[in-house]
Amino acid sequence: MAQIVSRKAPPIVRRLALCAAVLGALMLGLPLLMVPQAGPATAAAERSPLQIPADQLSPSPDPQQLLPPSPSPTSTPSPTPSAAPPKAQVSLVRSACDSVRLAAQTDQGAMLAYRITDEAGHEAASGRFTGAADIIVPLSTGHAYTASVSQAPEGAALATSAAADLTAPCPVAVTADAPLFSDPCGTDRDAVLVPRIIGVDYRVGETLLAAGSNSALGTVTVVASARPGYSMGGPTQWTHQFSSAPCPDSQQQPLPPTAAAPAPPPVPPSAEPQPPAAPSPAVTADHPGGGEWQASTGTPAEHSSQTAASTWAPGPLAWGVMIALAVAGGILFWSKTRH
């Protein structure tokens, strides 16, 4: 009979067999460990399948929303009524030699634009205003200008003015002097005195007054206006009310007598002129020919000697002799002393 002989496995084989046994045990025990953890949750889900938190519930769709939208009938939108454009007025008048006056007005408070063009359509000035405008615009002479008002600078014109002609010569500036009113007693001599001013006419109503005196009565208003080619500045209207009181009667109211003027005081008689005093004898004796004399304070003998000495004075001949002697002595002295 054959005998079975057993041999002991090598160590490495035994180790591999041990590892395989341990791994198989773990694979068998792992499902058992996982089933108890999932079991309570699964049981709870089976017991109350409808108990879901409210915040996790999604709202159920509305049946009306599931239906396809029904086509709405097409409706044409009604047009919005547009606001009516504002009404405007504009005028352009020559105010000076090289300027015009623009006056514009609108019935609304909207901002409008004005535009001034010449006869060829070229723009000379433009701007904007609100409500009303009254401005002086300087322009070049030699053209005729027209103003227009619109809602926009390039929009349709709401109003257009008449042409302002700046081609005519510049008007001459004049000033009207005030007339004078002569208003004495009564009404026969009441008059308006009109000055003579070149380029100015004076009128009372429609009546043209002549230069000088013009009869008037009651309340009179004189208006001055410039003739063509002239422009006037300053006051142009004067009003006066003439008095209708009658003059007083000179016979019924005589003048009071004038008081006599007092007599002038008597003029005292003027003193008579006294005759001149007679010259003293000494003056007459010493100066027979007269003339001024100043008395000396000396003795009579000294006075007579001074008088005698003063009576002789050298004449022209004596002066000539003395000058000749002096010249001859000078020449002799020079001739003796030059050697």
Side-chain angles (χ1 to χ4, degrees):
M1 220 179 137
Q3 188 179 358
I4 300 173
V5 180
S6 60
R7 296 181 180 180
K8 191 176 181 180
I12 186 62
V13 174
R14 293 197 299 267
R15 293 176 182 176
L16 292 175
L18 180 61
C19 290
V22 173
L23 182 60
L26 291 177
M27 295 296 291
L28 293 175
L30 183 60
L32 297 177
L33 295 175
M34 297 178 61
V35 168
Q37 297 178 358
T42 305
E46 292 177 355
R47 286 194 303 268
S48 56
L50 299 178
Q51 296 179 0
I52 301 174
D55 55 352
Q56 297 180 3
L57 293 176
S58 59
S60 59
D62 190 2
Q64 298 294 336
Q65 295 180 356
L66 299 177
L67 297 176
S70 59
S72 59
T74 58
S75 59
T76 303
S78 59
T80 304
S82 59
K87 297 181 180 179
Q89 298 177 355
V90 62
S91 63
L92 196 67
V93 181
R94 185 176 189 176
S95 61
C97 180
D98 56 352
S99 63
V100 294
R101 180 179 181 180
L102 172 69
Q105 187 176 5
T106 177
D107 60 346
Q108 298 181 7
M111 180 178 292
L112 299 181
Y114 69 85
R115 188 167 177 261
I116 301 177
T117 57
D118 58 9
E119 65 276 1
H122 300 149
E123 181 178 312
S126 62
R128 291 180 174 272
F129 69 95
T130 302
D134 190 354
I135 56 177
I136 301 297
V137 182
L139 298 173
S140 301
T141 57
H143 300 278
Y145 296 94
T146 305
S148 61
V149 174
S150 59
Q151 290 181 320
E154 301 298 335
L158 301 176
T160 304
S161 70
D165 189 9
L166 269 67
T167 59
C170 297
V172 180
V174 294
T175 302
D177 294 341
L180 301 179
F181 301 95
S182 177
D183 190 9
C185 61
T187 58
D188 297 339
R189 294 176 293 172
D190 293 347
V192 178
L193 305 179
V194 176
R196 185 185 299 275
I197 305 297
I198 298 176
V200 179
D201 289 335
Y202 293 86
R203 287 182 172 85
V204 175
E206 298 296 332
T207 303
L208 179 63
L209 302 181
S213 178
N214 298 265
S215 60
L217 184 64
T219 302
V220 176
T221 300
V222 181
V223 179
S225 60
R227 296 177 183 175
Y230 295 87
S231 63
M232 187 170 52
T236 59
Q237 182 172 326
W238 302 268
T239 302
H240 180 77
Q241 183 176 3
F242 289 93
S243 174
S244 58
C247 296
D249 191 357
S250 59
Q251 296 180 359
Q252 296 180 359
Q253 297 180 359
L255 297 177
T258 58
V267 179
S270 59
E272 296 180 359
Q274 298 180 358
S280 60
V283 173
T284 305
D286 295 338
H287 298 277
E292 296 182 356
W293 168 252
Q294 183 177 5
S296 61
T297 58
T299 59
E302 294 176 352
H303 179 69
S304 60
S305 62
Q306 293 176 359
T307 303
S310 61
T311 55
W312 182 86
L317 181 61
W319 280 109
V321 172
M322 288 188 294
I323 292 173
L325 291 176
V327 171
I331 293 173
L332 181 63
F333 178 77
W334 175 77
S335 61
K336 293 294 183 180
T337 58
R338 68 174 182 173
H339 296 289

